Amino acid sequence: MGRAVFNPADSDHSTPKETLGALVSAIHNGVPCVFRYVKIVDLAVADGDCVMPASTSTWNVTQDIAGGSALFTGHCVGVAVGTITAGNYGYVMVRGIHDNLFVEGTAAAGSSLIGPDAADGRAEVMAAGEEDQVFGVALAADVSNYTQAIINCLG
């Protein structure tokens, strides 16, 4: 895993600039984090959107549950830190502290979080039986469906 000096929120590439799936460590908002280079399919993503696998053989990912190609709802493999257009490439956070995670419902500080299974891109508070899907913990109560969270995604 390489150490990069770049702004991962500034990645919306129409052609790949990195190997798909590559992991890169970088400082984001003053905190060391790990990012994965992916291709966004179906719908664009914005800061705080969770993405799920859209392929079993590539690092194509999506936030689109309703009409998209999400293979495993509830399992988050990264969280966007900026806008990436559908069909483009960019970095999603896989480990670190995300200041603006998009959540469905109400998250309290300490809530275990799972990937979307009801609304596009929105993390959800874990329910009984969903322990295997946890990718993060809310650090604060959400405000207008956004919270700060520690994340450690699959993959």
Side-chain angles (χ1 to χ4, degrees), residues 22-41:
L23 292 171
V24 180
S25 62
I27 303 298
H28 181 65
N29 293 336
V31 178
C33 299
V34 178
F35 299 86
R36 184 175 305 277
Y37 198 69
V38 298
K39 181 177 183 178
I40 301 297
V41 298

Side-chain angles (χ1 to χ4, degrees), residues 48-52 74-80 93-96 98 101-103 111-116 121-126 130-138 147 149-155:
D49 287 341
C50 292
V51 295
M52 297 153 293
H75 294 280
C76 180
V77 295
V79 179
M93 183 185 289
V94 294
R95 288 183 196 86
H98 198 291
L101 182 66
F102 194 23
V103 293
S111 294
S112 294
L113 303 169
I114 66 166
R122 291 187 185 198
E124 299 179 17
V125 175
M126 180 202 78
E130 297 177 326
E131 293 82 3
D132 64 322
Q133 299 173 14
V134 172
F135 78 94
V137 176
T147 188
I150 295 175
I151 66 166
N152 187 13
C153 295
L154 298 169

Side-chain angles (χ1 to χ4, degrees), residues 5-102:
V5 178
F6 72 108
N7 180 358
D10 227 2
S11 63
D12 186 12
H13 309 137
S14 59
T15 58
K17 307 290 184 201
E18 176 75 75
T19 303
L20 279 183
L23 292 171
V24 180
S25 62
I27 303 298
H28 181 65
N29 293 336
V31 178
C33 299
V34 178
F35 299 86
R36 184 175 305 277
Y37 198 69
V38 298
K39 181 177 183 178
I40 301 297
V41 298
D42 301 322
L43 294 174
V45 295
D47 185 31
D49 287 341
C50 292
V51 295
M52 297 153 293
S55 169
T56 59
S57 60
T58 68
W59 278 101
N60 289 355
V61 298
T62 185
Q63 65 144 321
D64 191 1
I65 293 171
S69 51
L71 298 178
F72 312 108
T73 60
H75 294 280
C76 180
V77 295
V79 179
V81 292
T83 300
I84 305 173
T85 306
N88 281 6
Y89 304 83
Y91 293 95
V92 294
M93 183 185 289
V94 294
R95 288 183 196 86
I97 296 176
H98 198 291
D99 290 332
N100 202 35
L101 182 66
F102 194 23

